Structures are given as structure tokens and as C-alpha cells.
Amino acid sequence: MNIIKAKERGLLIVVSGPSGAGKGTVCQKLIENNSNIWLSISCTSREPRKGDIEGKTYYFLSREEFEAKIENNELLEYAQYNGNYYGTPKDKISELLDQGIDVLLEIEVQGAKKIKEMVKDALFIFILPPTMDELKRRLTSRGTEDKEKILKRFKTAYQEINELSKYNYVIVNDEVDEAVHKIESIITSEKCRVDRIEEVFVNSSEEEMHELLMDKEFDNSVHEL
Ligand code: 5GP
């Protein structure tokens, strides 16, 4: 018989970090390597960028459509970021967690704060670029946005980094595979936390100990010594 029964419910994993830190690439690789992790696809009112795919990177909505979702209470959380709405659809998340599947949300800091208030045992990971110079390089080399938008994202990055201490773990994304490996290790550690234990089946009564120990095998092995 097993000694403990740990919670089988999946983990809600929140990943944030400034635009250009590489969270998208890291999260994508994480789900490719781990079939038990499901990446939530957010809704947004921002315009699709080069490389965006409807239903894969985001569900692209008009502001009106997004506001209707807020009105109908269809979002777990939402926030405005650089003038656009971003939000996590509610459907499926709690069902998947109940099935033991880990759910990954790649969201900005205001949304993460709301999740922290709602879900006490969620895991919060912050991804940083190695340097601000590297962040600038990554933002400009994407070639998907104009100067003004890049400047806005760069300024927002500084505000976001100020929120770092509200997270449980920080990963410096110098090398994608290494960052992914670190997140996998964090998830493994989280699953071993003693507060995930639901039941302990060890009965420390004299009778039980005696019954377990005093069998033929024990007698034989003791004789052998
Ligand atoms: P981007 O425009 O670069 O795709 O995303 C801008 C920011 O919005 C990123 O920090 C991204 O993590 C965040 N984001 C994406 N989806 C959501 C969401 O559903 N909720 C919140 N709060 N932020 C999101």
C-alpha cells in the first residue's frame, strides 16, 4: 500500500515577463516537451502581427467582442496592456486541472496579480532577459512593430520588472533549452511539496507495526544474520 496520497489536481502555472524576454518561445518548447501541460490561448483586441495565427497564438477579437466577453463573465482574468485588451478564457481550465493536467498561462503582471488573488496554490514564474541591451535587441530584431510601439514595450518592461518580487521563481532566459529545463525542475519540485499531500496511510499503532514486521520473511532474514 502507498504511504501517501498526493493531490492529483493539475498545477496552474503563470508565466510573466517583459515583452522580448522570450516567454513565448520558452512556453512553446515547454508544451512540446511535456504532454501533461496545456497552454491556454488568450483573447486579445490587438491587431495580429506577422506570424500570428488565429486560434493558435491568440483569438483575435474587436474591442466590442472583447467587452462582450467581459460582460458575459467568460474570462478568468483580463487586463489592458499598451492600449489593447488581453484575457484568459475561463472554459476548460478548471476541467483540465481536475483531470490532473497542468495549465500554463502566459500573461502580463496585472493579470497574474488577479490570478494570485483567486488561486492560492498557483505557481508564479517570471522570465527575464539576460540584460536590458539584449531585450532591446530582441524587441527591435522581431521586425513586427514600429518604433513607437517598441518604445512603449521597452518602457513597460521596466515597470513589469518592478513586480518581480511578487512571483515565486525567476528564470533568466539566456538559452531557451536551459530555461525550459529550469521550469520543468520547478514543476517537479512543486509536485513534491508536502502541502500537496492529501492523506498519509501510515498507522503507527504497535499492533500494525508488529503485524507488518513479524512475518516469515522477517524471521528468516533475522535468522540468517
Ligand atoms: P503580445 O502583444 O506581445 O502578444 O502580448 C503582450 C502582453 O500580454 C504579454 O506580456 C503577454 O504575456 C500578455 N498576455 C497575453 N495573453 C494574456 C492574457 O490572457 N491576459 C493577460 N493579462 N495578459 C496576457
Side-chain angles (χ1 to χ4, degrees):
M1 189 188 197
N2 290 335
I3 295 181
I4 57 163
K5 179 179 184 291
K7 251 188 221 166
E8 279 161 17
R9 195 172 154 80
L11 266 180
L12 183 61
I13 307 157
V14 176
V15 170
S16 304
S19 195
K23 347 180 255 304
T25 316
V26 169
C27 288
Q28 209 54 49
K29 196 90 194 245
L30 188 67
I31 58 159
E32 272 168 34
N33 292 359
N34 298 274
S35 57
N36 197 51
I37 306 178
W38 181 82
L39 176 64
S40 163
I41 309 296
S42 298
C43 301
T44 182
S45 67
R46 88 147 156 74
E47 288 294 314
R49 284 198 300 248
K50 204 173 85 194
D52 275 329
I53 302 168
E54 166 68 27
K56 189 161 191 288
T57 37
Y58 283 108
Y59 297 108
F60 292 96
L61 306 175
S62 64
R63 285 190 78 82
E64 293 69 32
E65 286 169 329
F66 198 104
E67 281 162 3
K69 286 207 180 281
I70 300 173
E71 200 62 30
N72 297 332
N73 199 21
E74 289 177 47
L75 302 174
L76 184 64
E77 62 71 39
Y78 70 94
Q80 295 221 35
Y81 182 91
N82 288 347
N84 293 306
Y85 282 122
Y86 293 83
T88 306
K90 241 187 213 168
D91 60 341
K92 283 204 228 154
I93 292 187
S94 94
E95 198 183 306
L96 288 166
L97 291 173
D98 285 344
Q99 288 168 18
I101 293 168
D102 301 325
V103 174
L104 179 61
L105 309 183
E106 190 222 303
I107 61 177
E108 50 69 69
V109 293
Q110 307 163 69
K113 199 171 158 209
K114 289 182 199 158
I115 300 286
K116 198 167 187 181
E117 287 159 9
M118 282 186 283
V119 188
K120 295 292 167 228
D121 57 357
L123 171 62
F124 295 86
I125 301 175
F126 200 90
I127 301 198
L128 278 176
T131 62
M132 291 314 272
D133 269 340
E134 175 61 13
L135 185 79
K136 177 184 154 199
R137 196 194 62 75
R138 289 180 190 173
L139 282 176
T140 47
S141 67
R142 288 209 288 217
T144 50
E145 281 166 311
D146 59 30
K147 249 187 182 167
E148 194 193 332
K149 283 191 180 141
I150 292 174
L151 187 66
K152 230 174 175 182
R153 281 181 185 267
F154 200 63
K155 281 187 180 165
T156 309
Y158 280 87
Q159 293 161 9
E160 289 173 313
I161 293 171
N162 277 335
E163 303 294 315
L164 180 63
S165 62
K166 303 200 172 101
Y167 287 70
N168 305 118
Y169 295 91
V170 61
I171 305 278
V172 175
N173 179 25
D174 214 344
E175 211 273 308
V176 175
D177 285 337
E178 203 179 307
V180 170
H181 180 64
K182 283 183 181 166
I183 298 182
E184 288 167 346
S185 306
I186 292 170
I187 294 171
T188 306
S189 312
E190 283 297 304
K191 299 240 166 130
C192 297
R193 289 175 68 100
V194 286
D195 50 16
R196 277 183 72 86
I197 298 176
E198 276 179 346
E199 245 179 295
V200 179
F201 301 108
V202 174
N203 178 348
S204 54
S205 69
E206 281 291 325
E207 298 82 54
E208 170 121 352
M209 283 188 230
H210 194 268
E211 197 180 309
L212 255 175
L213 194 62
M214 300 301 169
D215 58 7
K216 249 203 158 80
E217 202 183 317
F218 179 71
D219 280 347
N220 291 342
S221 53
V222 170
H223 280 303
E224 277 163 25
L225 285 175

